[in-house]
Amino acid sequence: MRPMLDYSETLERRHILADGRSVVIRSMRPEDEAAARLFFRRVYPQSFRTRFLTLLRAFAPVDSTVLVCEARVDGEPRLVGEARYSPIPGSPSCSFGIVVTDAWHRTGAATLLMLALLAHARARGCEAMEGIVLRENRGMLPFLRALGFAVQLRPDDATLLRVVKRLDHYDLPSPPG
Ligand SMILES: CC(C)(COP(=O)(O)OP(=O)(O)OC[C@H]1O[C@@H](n2cnc3c(N)ncnc32)[C@H](O)[C@@H]1OP(=O)(O)O)[C@@H](O)C(=O)NCCC(=O)NCCS
């Protein structure tokens, strides 16, 4: 992995979505905890959330970088998306995850989050970003392909796909807005 660079300029940026609404992409702050809990309550049903958050607490790498997408809903700030990555120990790659609340799908918010995440990881020296996606996840695959991720079969599990994007060879597209 290359040495740490100054990637602060990739953080805290306001964008105007195609529908005219404005969002801010920024890093998660400690004071976001209550808003983040509400966010996860909105995006995951109870049973999944319990399992997911338990797993997250048990396995979340301490060096995860978490970015959020903040919008204004009824005049109040609200987290509508979250994306994170963590370096994979012993590898030049990092793994990622992203989720956006249903009401904000197909607005471009997820693309802005992913572009910021990719830029952040590259500035930090990660050579590739990868993830595991359920094969049946119909929205995620076209979304990731549009961002230049390659989709690979997993020989060990036909229900899963590995997605990967090299960060050292290509220029990242500029975020819209
Ligand atoms: C995957 C996800 C992040 C995409 O969010 P999104 O808000 O739709 O993303 P964007 O608005 O930035 O979409 C960008 C492009 O991705 C593609 N896309 C996104 N969802 C799609 C869908 N359901 N079907 C086809 N294409 C889709 C389109 O090309 C879209 O551009 P367009 O709207 O101009 O056609 C969102 O659906 C999500 O949070 N899903 C649940 C979480 C999840 O499955 N995470 C996977 C584990 S990492």
Side-chain angles (χ1 to χ4, degrees):
M1 215 176 261
R2 293 201 305 269
M4 297 275 274
L5 301 173
D6 178 14
Y7 44 79
S8 52
E9 64 182 278
T10 62
L11 300 183
E12 185 92 39
R13 192 170 156 199
R14 182 170 294 280
H15 303 266
I16 307 296
L17 302 175
D19 63 12
R21 287 183 291 182
S22 135
V23 293
V24 172
I25 305 291
R26 60 169 175 80
S27 52
M28 175 91 103
R29 303 179 191 129
E31 61 268 29
D32 288 324
E33 198 187 327
R37 212 174 290 128
L38 271 175
F39 169 75
F40 281 113
R41 210 168 286 155
R42 264 184 232 111
V43 289
Y44 294 116
Q46 176 63 39
S47 55
F48 182 77
R49 197 169 67 240
T50 311
R51 214 174 79 226
F52 174 79
L53 291 182
T54 307
L55 282 172
L56 204 66
R57 259 196 295 276
F59 299 114
V62 284
D63 54 356
S64 287
T65 295
V66 185
L67 303 185
V68 294
C69 177
E70 186 180 72
R72 289 195 89 79
V73 176
D74 300 328
E76 298 292 327
R78 180 177 292 180
L79 299 188
V80 298
E82 190 247 36
R84 60 179 64 209
Y85 76 90
S86 2
I88 301 171
S91 153
S93 292
C94 59
S95 61
F96 80 98
I98 179 169
V99 64
V100 166
T101 51
D102 286 2
W104 289 76
H105 283 186
R106 305 306 285 265
T107 62
T111 298
L112 292 172
L113 265 175
M114 269 314 287
L115 289 175
L117 202 71
L118 288 162
H120 197 288
R122 186 166 69 171
R124 190 177 176 179
C126 294
E127 292 175 16
M129 186 175 276
E130 61 183 73
I132 302 296
V133 176
L134 274 176
R135 208 170 180 159
E136 67 195 26
N137 193 338
R138 302 263 171 238
M140 192 68 179
L141 291 174
F143 168 72
L144 290 174
R145 282 202 180 97
L147 284 162
F149 277 80
V151 178
Q152 301 166 348
L153 298 173
R154 295 236 325 191
D156 55 324
D157 189 336
T159 64
L160 300 177
L161 295 167
R162 177 175 181 260
V163 291
V164 61
K165 179 177 170 71
R166 290 211 63 92
L167 301 178
D168 48 351
H169 289 183
Y170 306 108
D171 282 338
L172 299 173
S174 304

PDB file of all heavy atoms in Angstrom, residues 110-124:
ATOM      1  N   ALA A 110     -26.148   7.532  -4.470  1.00  0.00           N
ATOM      2  CA  ALA A 110     -25.240   6.395  -4.262  1.00  0.00           C
ATOM      3  C   ALA A 110     -23.988   6.532  -5.120  1.00  0.00           C
ATOM      4  O   ALA A 110     -22.883   6.194  -4.687  1.00  0.00           O
ATOM      5  CB  ALA A 110     -25.965   5.085  -4.575  1.00  0.00           C
ATOM      6  N   THR A 111     -24.159   7.057  -6.329  1.00  0.00           N
ATOM      7  CA  THR A 111     -22.998   7.257  -7.202  1.00  0.00           C
ATOM      8  C   THR A 111     -22.039   8.270  -6.583  1.00  0.00           C
ATOM      9  O   THR A 111     -20.816   8.058  -6.572  1.00  0.00           O
ATOM     10  CB  THR A 111     -23.458   7.742  -8.595  1.00  0.00           C
ATOM     11  OG1 THR A 111     -24.277   6.714  -9.160  1.00  0.00           O
ATOM     12  CG2 THR A 111     -22.292   8.006  -9.513  1.00  0.00           C
ATOM     13  N   LEU A 112     -22.576   9.347  -6.032  1.00  0.00           N
ATOM     14  CA  LEU A 112     -21.722  10.351  -5.386  1.00  0.00           C
ATOM     15  C   LEU A 112     -20.961   9.741  -4.202  1.00  0.00           C
ATOM     16  O   LEU A 112     -19.767   9.989  -4.021  1.00  0.00           O
ATOM     17  CB  LEU A 112     -22.568  11.533  -4.898  1.00  0.00           C
ATOM     18  CG  LEU A 112     -23.202  12.392  -5.991  1.00  0.00           C
ATOM     19  CD1 LEU A 112     -24.166  13.396  -5.375  1.00  0.00           C
ATOM     20  CD2 LEU A 112     -22.121  13.118  -6.794  1.00  0.00           C
ATOM     21  N   LEU A 113     -21.667   8.924  -3.423  1.00  0.00           N
ATOM     22  CA  LEU A 113     -21.017   8.275  -2.279  1.00  0.00           C
ATOM     23  C   LEU A 113     -19.885   7.369  -2.750  1.00  0.00           C
ATOM     24  O   LEU A 113     -18.779   7.389  -2.199  1.00  0.00           O
ATOM     25  CB  LEU A 113     -22.040   7.431  -1.515  1.00  0.00           C
ATOM     26  CG  LEU A 113     -22.734   8.045  -0.323  1.00  0.00           C
ATOM     27  CD1 LEU A 113     -23.796   7.093   0.204  1.00  0.00           C
ATOM     28  CD2 LEU A 113     -21.749   8.392   0.795  1.00  0.00           C
ATOM     29  N   MET A 114     -20.163   6.564  -3.785  1.00  0.00           N
ATOM     30  CA  MET A 114     -19.150   5.612  -4.263  1.00  0.00           C
ATOM     31  C   MET A 114     -17.951   6.345  -4.853  1.00  0.00           C
ATOM     32  O   MET A 114     -16.810   5.929  -4.649  1.00  0.00           O
ATOM     33  CB  MET A 114     -19.734   4.675  -5.320  1.00  0.00           C
ATOM     34  CG  MET A 114     -20.332   3.402  -4.820  1.00  0.00           C
ATOM     35  SD  MET A 114     -19.417   2.459  -3.599  1.00  0.00           S
ATOM     36  CE  MET A 114     -18.092   1.751  -4.528  1.00  0.00           C
ATOM     37  N   LEU A 115     -18.193   7.434  -5.600  1.00  0.00           N
ATOM     38  CA  LEU A 115     -17.064   8.175  -6.184  1.00  0.00           C
ATOM     39  C   LEU A 115     -16.182   8.765  -5.080  1.00  0.00           C
ATOM     40  O   LEU A 115     -14.953   8.746  -5.175  1.00  0.00           O
ATOM     41  CB  LEU A 115     -17.571   9.275  -7.129  1.00  0.00           C
ATOM     42  CG  LEU A 115     -18.180   8.768  -8.446  1.00  0.00           C
ATOM     43  CD1 LEU A 115     -18.753   9.938  -9.239  1.00  0.00           C
ATOM     44  CD2 LEU A 115     -17.143   8.020  -9.279  1.00  0.00           C
ATOM     45  N   ALA A 116     -16.815   9.272  -4.030  1.00  0.00           N
ATOM     46  CA  ALA A 116     -16.032   9.820  -2.914  1.00  0.00           C
ATOM     47  C   ALA A 116     -15.259   8.703  -2.213  1.00  0.00           C
ATOM     48  O   ALA A 116     -14.092   8.875  -1.829  1.00  0.00           O
ATOM     49  CB  ALA A 116     -16.960  10.538  -1.931  1.00  0.00           C
ATOM     50  N   LEU A 117     -15.906   7.540  -2.069  1.00  0.00           N
ATOM     51  CA  LEU A 117     -15.248   6.408  -1.402  1.00  0.00           C
ATOM     52  C   LEU A 117     -14.036   5.929  -2.212  1.00  0.00           C
ATOM     53  O   LEU A 117     -12.962   5.686  -1.659  1.00  0.00           O
ATOM     54  CB  LEU A 117     -16.261   5.265  -1.256  1.00  0.00           C
ATOM     55  CG  LEU A 117     -15.980   4.231  -0.173  1.00  0.00           C
ATOM     56  CD1 LEU A 117     -16.202   4.825   1.209  1.00  0.00           C
ATOM     57  CD2 LEU A 117     -16.872   3.008  -0.344  1.00  0.00           C
ATOM     58  N   LEU A 118     -14.232   5.820  -3.537  1.00  0.00           N
ATOM     59  CA  LEU A 118     -13.136   5.367  -4.410  1.00  0.00           C
ATOM     60  C   LEU A 118     -11.972   6.355  -4.358  1.00  0.00           C
ATOM     61  O   LEU A 118     -10.809   5.966  -4.269  1.00  0.00           O
ATOM     62  CB  LEU A 118     -13.648   5.230  -5.854  1.00  0.00           C
ATOM     63  CG  LEU A 118     -14.593   4.043  -6.111  1.00  0.00           C
ATOM     64  CD1 LEU A 118     -15.372   4.249  -7.407  1.00  0.00           C
ATOM     65  CD2 LEU A 118     -13.808   2.737  -6.163  1.00  0.00           C
ATOM     66  N   ALA A 119     -12.286   7.660  -4.415  1.00  0.00           N
ATOM     67  CA  ALA A 119     -11.234   8.679  -4.391  1.00  0.00           C
ATOM     68  C   ALA A 119     -10.489   8.632  -3.057  1.00  0.00           C
ATOM     69  O   ALA A 119      -9.255   8.744  -2.996  1.00  0.00           O
ATOM     70  CB  ALA A 119     -11.841  10.065  -4.611  1.00  0.00           C
ATOM     71  N   HIS A 120     -11.232   8.440  -1.975  1.00  0.00           N
ATOM     72  CA  HIS A 120     -10.643   8.391  -0.640  1.00  0.00           C
ATOM     73  C   HIS A 120      -9.702   7.195  -0.533  1.00  0.00           C
ATOM     74  O   HIS A 120      -8.556   7.319  -0.076  1.00  0.00           O
ATOM     75  CB  HIS A 120     -11.791   8.272   0.364  1.00  0.00           C
ATOM     76  CG  HIS A 120     -11.423   8.612   1.766  1.00  0.00           C
ATOM     77  ND1 HIS A 120     -10.634   7.795   2.533  1.00  0.00           N
ATOM     78  CD2 HIS A 120     -11.735   9.672   2.545  1.00  0.00           C
ATOM     79  CE1 HIS A 120     -10.489   8.336   3.732  1.00  0.00           C
ATOM     80  NE2 HIS A 120     -11.148   9.476   3.760  1.00  0.00           N
ATOM     81  N   ALA A 121     -10.191   6.039  -1.001  1.00  0.00           N
ATOM     82  CA  ALA A 121      -9.382   4.812  -0.891  1.00  0.00           C
ATOM     83  C   ALA A 121      -8.138   4.918  -1.755  1.00  0.00           C
ATOM     84  O   ALA A 121      -7.052   4.496  -1.358  1.00  0.00           O
ATOM     85  CB  ALA A 121     -10.219   3.600  -1.299  1.00  0.00           C
ATOM     86  N   ARG A 122      -8.286   5.515  -2.921  1.00  0.00           N
ATOM     87  CA  ARG A 122      -7.112   5.627  -3.799  1.00  0.00           C
ATOM     88  C   ARG A 122      -6.072   6.578  -3.205  1.00  0.00           C
ATOM     89  O   ARG A 122      -4.883   6.291  -3.214  1.00  0.00           O
ATOM     90  CB  ARG A 122      -7.520   6.103  -5.187  1.00  0.00           C
ATOM     91  CG  ARG A 122      -6.320   6.068  -6.121  1.00  0.00           C
ATOM     92  CD  ARG A 122      -6.695   6.206  -7.532  1.00  0.00           C
ATOM     93  NE  ARG A 122      -7.182   7.547  -7.820  1.00  0.00           N
ATOM     94  CZ  ARG A 122      -7.410   7.976  -9.051  1.00  0.00           C
ATOM     95  NH1 ARG A 122      -7.232   7.160 -10.068  1.00  0.00           N
ATOM     96  NH2 ARG A 122      -7.850   9.172  -9.258  1.00  0.00           N
ATOM     97  N   ALA A 123      -6.557   7.706  -2.663  1.00  0.00           N
ATOM     98  CA  ALA A 123      -5.625   8.657  -2.049  1.00  0.00           C
ATOM     99  C   ALA A 123      -4.897   8.029  -0.865  1.00  0.00           C
ATOM    100  O   ALA A 123      -3.766   8.393  -0.546  1.00  0.00           O
ATOM    101  CB  ALA A 123      -6.374   9.907  -1.614  1.00  0.00           C
ATOM    102  N   ARG A 124      -5.555   7.059  -0.241  1.00  0.00           N
ATOM    103  CA  ARG A 124      -4.949   6.395   0.906  1.00  0.00           C
ATOM    104  C   ARG A 124      -3.959   5.311   0.475  1.00  0.00           C
ATOM    105  O   ARG A 124      -3.250   4.739   1.279  1.00  0.00           O
ATOM    106  CB  ARG A 124      -6.076   5.789   1.735  1.00  0.00           C
ATOM    107  CG  ARG A 124      -5.663   5.270   3.061  1.00  0.00           C
ATOM    108  CD  ARG A 124      -6.877   4.774   3.792  1.00  0.00           C
ATOM    109  NE  ARG A 124      -6.487   4.169   5.044  1.00  0.00           N
ATOM    110  CZ  ARG A 124      -7.345   3.671   5.903  1.00  0.00           C
ATOM    111  NH1 ARG A 124      -8.632   3.700   5.642  1.00  0.00           N
ATOM    112  NH2 ARG A 124      -6.933   3.131   7.019  1.00  0.00           N
TER     113      ARG A 124
END
